[in-house]
Amino acid sequence: MAKAIKSIAVLTSGGDAPGMNAAIRAVVRTSIFYEKRVFGVRRGYDGLIEGDMEELNTKSVKNILNLGGTFLKSARSEEFRTDEGQQKAYEQLQKHEIDALVVIGGNGTFTGAHRFYEKFGVPVVGIPGTIDNDLFGTDYTLGFDTATNTVVDCIDKIRDTASSHNRLFFVEVMGRDAGFIAMNTAVATGALDVILPEENKTFDDLFGEIERGASRRKTSNIVVVAEGNKLGNSFEIAEKVKAHFPQLDTKVTILGHLQRGGAPSCFDRVTASKLGLAAVEGLLNGRADVMVGIVDSELTYTFLQQAVMNKAQLDPEMLRISKILAI
Amino acid sequence: MAKAIKSIAVLTSGGDAPGMNAAIRAVVRTSIFYEKRVFGVRRGYDGLIEGDMEELNTKSVKNILNLGGTFLKSARSEEFRTDEGQQKAYEQLQKHEIDALVVIGGNGTFTGAHRFYEKFGVPVVGIPGTIDNDLFGTDYTLGFDTATNTVVDCIDKIRDTASSHNRLFFVEVMGRDAGFIAMNTAVATGALDVILPEENKTFDDLFGEIERGASRRKTSNIVVVAEGNKLGNSFEIAEKVKAHFPQLDTKVTILGHLQRGGAPSCFDRVTASKLGLAAVEGLLNGRADVMVGIVDSELTYTFLQQAVMNKAQLDPEMLRISKILAI
Amino acid sequence: MAKAIKSIAVLTSGGDAPGMNAAIRAVVRTSIFYEKRVFGVRRGYDGLIEGDMEELNTKSVKNILNLGGTFLKSARSEEFRTDEGQQKAYEQLQKHEIDALVVIGGNGTFTGAHRFYEKFGVPVVGIPGTIDNDLFGTDYTLGFDTATNTVVDCIDKIRDTASSHNRLFFVEVMGRDAGFIAMNTAVATGALDVILPEENKTFDDLFGEIERGASRRKTSNIVVVAEGNKLGNSFEIAEKVKAHFPQLDTKVTILGHLQRGGAPSCFDRVTASKLGLAAVEGLLNGRADVMVGIVDSELTYTFLQQAVMNKAQLDPEMLRISKILAI
Amino acid sequence: MAKAIKSIAVLTSGGDAPGMNAAIRAVVRTSIFYEKRVFGVRRGYDGLIEGDMEELNTKSVKNILNLGGTFLKSARSEEFRTDEGQQKAYEQLQKHEIDALVVIGGNGTFTGAHRFYEKFGVPVVGIPGTIDNDLFGTDYTLGFDTATNTVVDCIDKIRDTASSHNRLFFVEVMGRDAGFIAMNTAVATGALDVILPEENKTFDDLFGEIERGASRRKTSNIVVVAEGNKLGNSFEIAEKVKAHFPQLDTKVTILGHLQRGGAPSCFDRVTASKLGLAAVEGLLNGRADVMVGIVDSELTYTFLQQAVMNKAQLDPEMLRISKILAI
């Protein structure tokens, strides 16, 4: 089947992440290197359904390596979850004589891709692109490295400030379902505490950490809050902490979407280049219905269904390190 | 009187701002250049009251030029507003044989300094240090340039992201009383709109801007919100906008104290160096009860009372530019 | 004459500078605001001669505010110095029915523009865009603020390193004719010494500074070298210093063109927005043969001939500050 | 033997690297967590020989996580290569009742440490800290990730500029013996070519790449040059290229020591935290004469002799990727 591939389409879907452009560039240039035609689809599966795509050449992806976001735009498509949507998408591929698909995104992206493969047999390879780093089958997802650098840079700036007694900063970071960003940036900034979606921390636990921290240090302290945690959003948490420690001056920063932007780090660009190339070579070698990833420094291909059914787990060692070093 | 100055104390007070360290360094080194003793007071007026100070030398201020925050720490002092507090502070100066004072901060800092001067006749010179740029008697306050670069960098990152249809980002920046940060960063990032403390913008005005913006562009839009505006905090604003435009996907970022940190810009360091030197030379030349500033590229000294009674005004031309360029 | 203007062309010429894109955007949007047509000319005067231009709209300048360089490209044109070149350029303007010209650049750019105005009477307004800040008639040239931040950021990184005894770093910065970048960044980083094109410093002067520095501090020292200085390039200087102080470990960094790039600072973007708007409004109000600038916070128009015949002078106060604070 | 450890000394040696401070912090806090005493030795082995050390506590390492360089200073020691030097160092350890040593550095550091262990049996564990990433026994060395981000940021800025025809930028990066920085940053910036110490590239090869590049693109091109390559330094290379392609405008940037500085990346801080903790736990568990590293996401201990006798190899896949994507 692989021999038949003459034309490949690439799209980005879901929340965007730094490094997606670098991955698109790698897909495009590798395709052209192997003398395949390559199409860029705009706005994820919605664009596929609507046929919003055009053929790309090496120049189309010039000077995008260093840009955050994705020049193909990204979207979450409701329509692609329906049979009608998938049918329309398939017809567009046929109309444009496209034989294979590279999709860059996360769990939702791969769920749709797997269903599409099952229905129509179109070879599809996924590239893990999400700042959350929560995908099974790869040690890194595109954007995570950049996002953690962005968060660390922000927390460093917050740490510079006042250092008057009794000040406590809550910094809310992304991570609805997974605390990787929160965990790593907490270790990297020496945070007093971190509140993760994966834990069942209570307010008493938090109060305890704050008391222990206050007894050791006199200056400003940081608590990193993953948005998907179970204690509430950071304003709510700050309010309860303030009610319990009235002498504390609590401050809240919500980083929001700035974590999704910025020029990708060297690591994210290199990884994107490797994965983009491997996605195309995988397709040309007959791979389909898989996500390409890097595990223990090796390129690996994981079946999409496996990738979406499992979840990357927080390394418990990181929690241990965090506690010992915040001593 | 000036001839009598043999020893100078320097402190930072109020909200801290990038460039304060550079100003302290300039005060210290200029004092030593003129063969005066110089003391660093920790934690603003509170430290002065408690005698929390020590003599500094050129090495004490080595390698601080590039650090955000203030190594002397800063605080807002309630006690210095009382007669008892001022009396204690005066006694500390006498005890340490300190003849003159340099205070780095904003309005509250200068109000206290003026009263202290009136009561005890201790020569005091103020250096404008606040990210808000809202002081009368100077074109620049230390930290404003750095803070606007920080905000612009954050908004650039937000702009990178998604660009799916109908997304509207609210970015809340500092500025309880003055909209300089909001105004300048809105122009610098091509924001759709800016909500300022100085204006009486209504929700209908805001809805109108959003509608006009939506009709012109299809991609992501930014609204910069100064925290002291009259429509509410950015979550409240985002909620009302969402209620009025249900199809809009609204997102909120609250930058908070990260605006006070970070390595100072070249401009803030150079300005801090100029002002720190001018503060000491002013004292040695008999100046007292004044704030040193830069107006139209010239060093100026403004009486503290004038500085605190007036307020820097937003340039209406900036609003005009903002509207024309957001066309 | 001003009433006749229906169509304006804009170009960037000479060495590029951060903020040029922001200025182009302001020219384009202000023109459209006043219902004029506006053309972008690629590659400076060469593109004008060749007719390499196209009409721009508000979308053409979307998302360029934050980009370094100039999307119109820049070049130094030999041909525009000839009568034939100027004639061809004029014919292109006529062919495209363009009535007026905005040129963004430095001395060379304005010299050509003035001659062109004299020959053909085409109203032209210049916008000062050069990282060197060496133009008469304006306190700021676009790109200077960004370039100095870039240099300061690099020197901060160099300062982080080793701090073994007796290490001396030479950092070569741009400035063939003017030492503004070197002077400001030396003050901003607490450099041991600065070598400027404007001074007649001898090697003995430099050796003296190094000796004085060595006697005061034990750690790493920085010397900022402007490329146009009279002692030689930084490798040559480092070699002579090493020959004189064999125990010194000398290291050289040459920043080169990285000083011309990077996202423009908030200040450069705001200034570019003001100047771009003022250039178009100036043209529409009958101004011609002038450079728009900012002097003492006011917009000013200086005749091009005056702008190019004079030169901005280094502030001697900066040298004094540099010496006192490096104590 | 491990049970006997009551007191640990830590030092940094050789060229400094971002992340060293984070590693020191982890060593100090882990030691204190296990109720051991911990000493910081200044200026590497020289400081050990001279007894330039002091006991550290958790506060000693506060607020250093985000600082480049090493607050313990680093040096290359000639004296530690002699028997006398090693003897003096041993006596200092005895005098201060120090039982074990953690050394952070590269090959030279570990060679000395191994000899010291062999002579005196003092348990020593090495932490790989060098921006060059060229150590055997670990996938990452502290500082490499930060240094590559710094280089990529600089090259991005260079890429912003001019883009006039026929301009070729040579960017010289560190790497006397190993081309990891050059290789990764070349892929990450889409460089036209990269000149590595590991290759035997000829000028004809380089001319060929430039010709192929020129035929494909019209704009600026970058060649990344590792300092230890065999064709010469970047000025010499630029000169020969200019002689061969006189129409080319060649420009040189030499990044030098700025690659060793800067706030460490999140990855370098997390890795430093892991390795610092593992070094101390290794010592307490009886490890000695080993370097702690991370291989395939697992902590590993490699004998120092093995670590220094072998060398990390460039991944040939990276060269392949570089060529395909520069198409």
Side-chain angles (χ1 to χ4, degrees), chain B residues 27-97:
Chain B
V27 168
V28 169
R29 296 203 163 179
T30 307
S31 299
I32 289 167
F33 177 83
Y34 286 110
E35 302 182 341
K36 308 300 167 194
R37 299 179 69 187
V38 60
F39 288 77
V41 181
R42 270 179 289 268
R43 294 177 299 112
Y45 292 124
D46 280 349
L48 191 60
I49 290 167
E50 298 166 25
D52 186 4
M53 62 181 80
E54 65 182 341
E55 190 166 352
L56 303 177
N57 54 40
T58 57
K59 289 212 171 164
S60 321
V61 291
K62 229 177 71 177
N63 295 331
I64 65 166
L65 205 46
N66 62 325
L67 299 183
T70 153
F71 88 104
L72 291 177
K73 314 284 186 204
S74 186
R76 298 180 205 274
S77 172
E78 288 304 315
E79 198 177 354
F80 195 67
R81 299 189 189 184
T82 67
D83 287 340
E84 295 71 28
Q86 293 229 335
Q87 182 64 36
K88 282 187 204 164
Y90 179 62
E91 285 161 12
Q92 290 289 354
L93 289 186
Q94 286 192 302
K95 182 175 151 197
H96 289 83
E97 300 186 338

Side-chain angles (χ1 to χ4, degrees), chain C residues 22-24 26-27 30 102 127 271-281 292:
Chain C
I24 297 166
V27 168
T30 307
V102 175
I127 295 177
T271 305
S273 301
K274 287 180 182 172
L275 294 179
L277 183 138
V280 172
E281 293 191 337
V292 60

Side-chain angles (χ1 to χ4, degrees), chain B residues 111-170:
Chain B
T111 304
H114 170 64
R115 234 186 110 222
F116 191 66
Y117 172 79
E118 287 212 313
K119 269 187 119 132
F120 302 105
V122 178
V124 54
V125 171
I127 295 177
T130 159
I131 64 170
D132 292 333
N133 211 36
D134 58 349
L135 295 177
F136 178 84
T138 189
D139 292 346
Y140 320 107
T141 63
L142 300 182
F144 174 70
D145 187 60
T146 305
T148 55
N149 281 336
T150 298
V151 172
V152 160
D153 184 51
C154 288
I155 298 181
D156 282 354
K157 289 196 169 99
I158 292 172
R159 215 176 247 302
D160 275 349
T161 79
S163 321
S164 59
H165 289 355
N166 300 321
R167 186 170 273 188
L168 189 60
F169 292 98
F170 293 89

Side-chain angles (χ1 to χ4, degrees), chain A residues 16 68-69 73-74 150 154 157-158 160-164 167 169 219 235 251 253-258 260-262, chain B residues 16 68-69 73-74 150 154 157-158 160-164 167 169 219 235 251 253-258 260-262:
Chain A
D16 59 354
K73 314 284 185 204
S74 186
T150 298
C154 289
K157 289 195 168 100
I158 291 173
D160 276 347
T161 80
S163 321
S164 60
R167 187 169 272 187
F169 293 98
T219 55
F235 279 110
K251 303 281 178 189
T253 288
I254 297 181
L255 293 177
H257 276 65
L258 76 86
R260 293 195 178 283
Chain B
D16 61 352
K73 314 284 186 204
S74 186
T150 298
C154 288
K157 289 196 169 99
I158 292 172
D160 275 349
T161 79
S163 321
S164 59
R167 186 170 273 188
F169 292 98
T219 55
F235 279 110
K251 302 281 179 189
T253 289
I254 298 181
L255 294 178
H257 276 65
L258 75 88
R260 294 194 179 281

Side-chain angles (χ1 to χ4, degrees), chain D residues 31-46:
Chain D
S31 299
I32 290 166
F33 178 84
Y34 286 110
E35 303 183 342
K36 307 301 168 192
R37 299 179 69 189
V38 60
F39 287 78
V41 181
R42 269 179 290 267
R43 294 177 300 111
Y45 293 123
D46 280 348

Side-chain angles (χ1 to χ4, degrees), chain C residues 16 160-162 253-255 257 262, chain D residues 16 160-162 253-255 262:
Chain C
D16 59 353
D160 276 348
T161 78
T253 288
I254 297 180
L255 295 177
H257 275 66
Chain D
D16 59 352
D160 276 347
T161 78
T253 288
I254 297 180
L255 294 177

